[in-house]
Amino acid sequence: MGSEIVALESMSIRASSNECNLVESASIIKSFKSEKNQTVIHCAARVGGVKANTEYAADFFDDNVKMNMNVLNACKENKLKLVSVLSTCIYPDHLYVQYPLTEDQLHLGPPHPSNFGYAYAKRMLEVQSRAYRQQHGCNFITVVPNNLYGPNDNYDLDSGHVIPALIRKFHEAKIHGRDEVVVWGTGRPIREFTFARDAAKIILWLAENYDGELPVNIGNPEQVSIKSLAKMIGEEVGFEGRLAFDSSRPDGQYQKPSSNEKLRELGWDGNYTSLQDGLRETIKSFSERYPNVRGVTI
Ligand code: GFB
């Protein structure tokens, strides 16, 4: 391939990296200029689980729109190809779509209220990418993963997502001899999860093989209920106690099943890591490094 690909990792606005502060367009344009970049993978965002999204809608909107404005402008200025990462939570809620979610349904109605700030900021990234392509001829593409998980996740119980939160809860219950783990909500919602390494491979494949205007879903369409997921994680950790469901906590969207048919039609013929295998590798990485993992302060 030979082209230099730079992945912009997720960083919070307030703890900006010395190398590249994404809210300061000057520093981005400068840093992009210094490298022989040809393609940028933009996965930098203010992200969080259902609770953080519900409580910080304005910050999630502002921080993401600011970063996206600067990244797209810098890529235009430096004539770089750009691959921006969206999320299936930005699709319209169930009243406005047919399941599974296909790319042509992205703007057919409002997203679920639990993450509208983040969802509209990411929808605007899709719109902005097409606008830059139309006016400036920029080769900006967008990809739509579902819920990602894997090693190096954020294990903060307040701002994190369900898989890292449950891995930590079961691990800490086991090492402290507790006989109950509390799962948020009713356990009924259904989710699709893609192992982060698989998503990275598909994104690199699209960076090389796709120059189209419209987004591409990349997620593993294997669905699981939160209750079954909790049982899978509990067994893998070796927890022998009971589950308790806290319905005072948000369930969020009931489901967001997505189709990866377009990706297959584009010629991607790879396989996804099964949820069981992905969880096993993630739990092993966590328990080997606990408590020196992101989001845990003992
Ligand atoms: O991962 P999560 O926070 O994100 O929650 P969403 C998924 C489901 O897991 C919800 C349940 O139904 C939660 O109620 N859950 C059970 C838990 N126990 C826990 C727990 O201890 N912590 C958490 N966090 N959840 C996000 C969007 O929605 O998905 C983001 O808000 C982004 O913007 C992300 O798109 C991928 O799937 O509900």
Side-chain angles (χ1 to χ4, degrees):
M1 178 167 72
S3 66
E4 297 294 326
I5 289 193
V6 169
L8 301 172
E9 298 297 330
S10 66
M11 61 179 73
S12 79
I13 290 267
R14 286 168 190 73
S16 56
S17 138
N18 303 331
E19 300 127 285
C20 184
N21 178 345
L22 294 181
V23 291
E24 279 175 29
S25 59
S27 83
I28 300 180
I29 291 179
K30 192 166 89 283
S31 75
F32 281 5
K33 212 175 270 323
S34 65
E35 305 280 338
K36 296 245 171 324
N37 302 338
Q38 286 169 348
T39 301
V40 169
I41 312 275
H42 176 25
C43 21
R46 177 163 179 161
V47 297
V50 61
K51 183 171 181 292
N53 267 275
T54 310
E55 290 174 1
Y56 300 105
D59 294 350
F60 274 72
F61 184 88
D62 287 355
D63 293 351
N64 287 308
V65 166
K66 276 185 210 151
M67 277 194 249
N68 300 338
M69 295 294 286
N70 290 328
V71 170
L72 271 72
N73 186 47
C75 289
K76 180 200 74 171
E77 290 300 320
N78 291 287
K79 299 191 176 18
L80 300 168
K81 177 170 182 175
L82 175 65
V83 183
S84 293
V85 180
L86 311 178
S87 172
T88 50
C89 79
I90 77 172
Y91 276 104
D93 202 8
H94 64 92
L95 292 173
Y96 309 93
V97 288
Q98 305 280 329
Y99 287 140
L101 298 165
T102 48
E103 296 84 349
D104 58 326
Q105 302 188 80
L106 188 57
H107 297 283
L108 292 185
H112 189 268
S114 66
N115 46 51
F116 81 95
Y118 175 83
Y120 276 120
K122 284 285 187 176
R123 280 200 197 177
M124 288 312 109
L125 175 52
E126 195 275 327
V127 170
Q128 206 180 352
S129 299
R130 283 189 281 124
Y132 273 62
R133 177 185 287 265
Q134 188 170 307
Q135 180 179 347
H136 307 297
C138 297
N139 186 6
F140 290 176
I141 70 170
T142 53
V143 301
V144 192
N146 45 31
N147 291 37
L148 299 176
Y149 74 100
N152 308 318
D153 208 331
N154 167 22
Y155 290 90
D156 178 84
L157 295 178
D158 228 38
S159 64
H161 293 96
V162 61
I163 287 182
L166 291 180
I167 289 175
R168 179 177 173 185
K169 287 179 183 179
F170 281 113
H171 179 85
E172 290 180 341
K174 187 179 162 210
I175 62 174
H176 298 303
R178 296 187 207 123
D179 60 6
E180 182 179 276
V181 162
V182 176
V183 180
W184 288 1
T186 62
R188 283 198 295 272
I190 295 169
R191 293 287 183 272
E192 299 173 340
F193 295 101
T194 301
F195 194 51
R197 193 167 56 230
D198 297 346
K201 287 182 188 160
I202 298 168
I203 290 171
L204 288 177
W205 186 85
L206 286 166
E208 282 189 13
N209 296 285
Y210 182 68
D211 299 311
E213 180 182 15
L214 296 176
V216 184
N217 290 345
I218 65 168
N220 176 354
E222 187 188 337
Q223 297 200 78
V224 63
S225 74
I226 297 302
K227 186 171 184 179
S228 307
L229 173 72
K231 286 188 178 148
M232 285 175 80
I233 296 175
E235 277 157 25
E236 192 61 40
V237 168
F239 172 80
E240 285 160 2
R242 63 180 178 280
L243 297 183
F245 291 90
D246 176 359
S247 52
S248 73
R249 296 283 194 163
D251 260 344
Q253 203 160 1
Y254 175 64
Q255 62 174 335
K256 31 186 172 172
S258 60
S259 159
N260 66 355
E261 210 168 307
K262 179 175 175 179
L263 176 65
R264 295 287 185 197
E265 282 160 11
L266 288 170
W268 185 74
D269 59 4
N271 298 315
Y272 292 100
T273 304
S274 73
L275 183 56
Q276 189 72 55
D277 292 347
L279 287 175
R280 185 168 301 123
E281 186 173 334
T282 308
I283 290 166
K284 184 170 178 297
S285 152
F286 173 82
S287 48
E288 281 166 359
R289 294 180 307 131
Y290 180 87
N292 304 315
V293 291
R294 197 151 59 102
V296 173
T297 42
I298 298 280

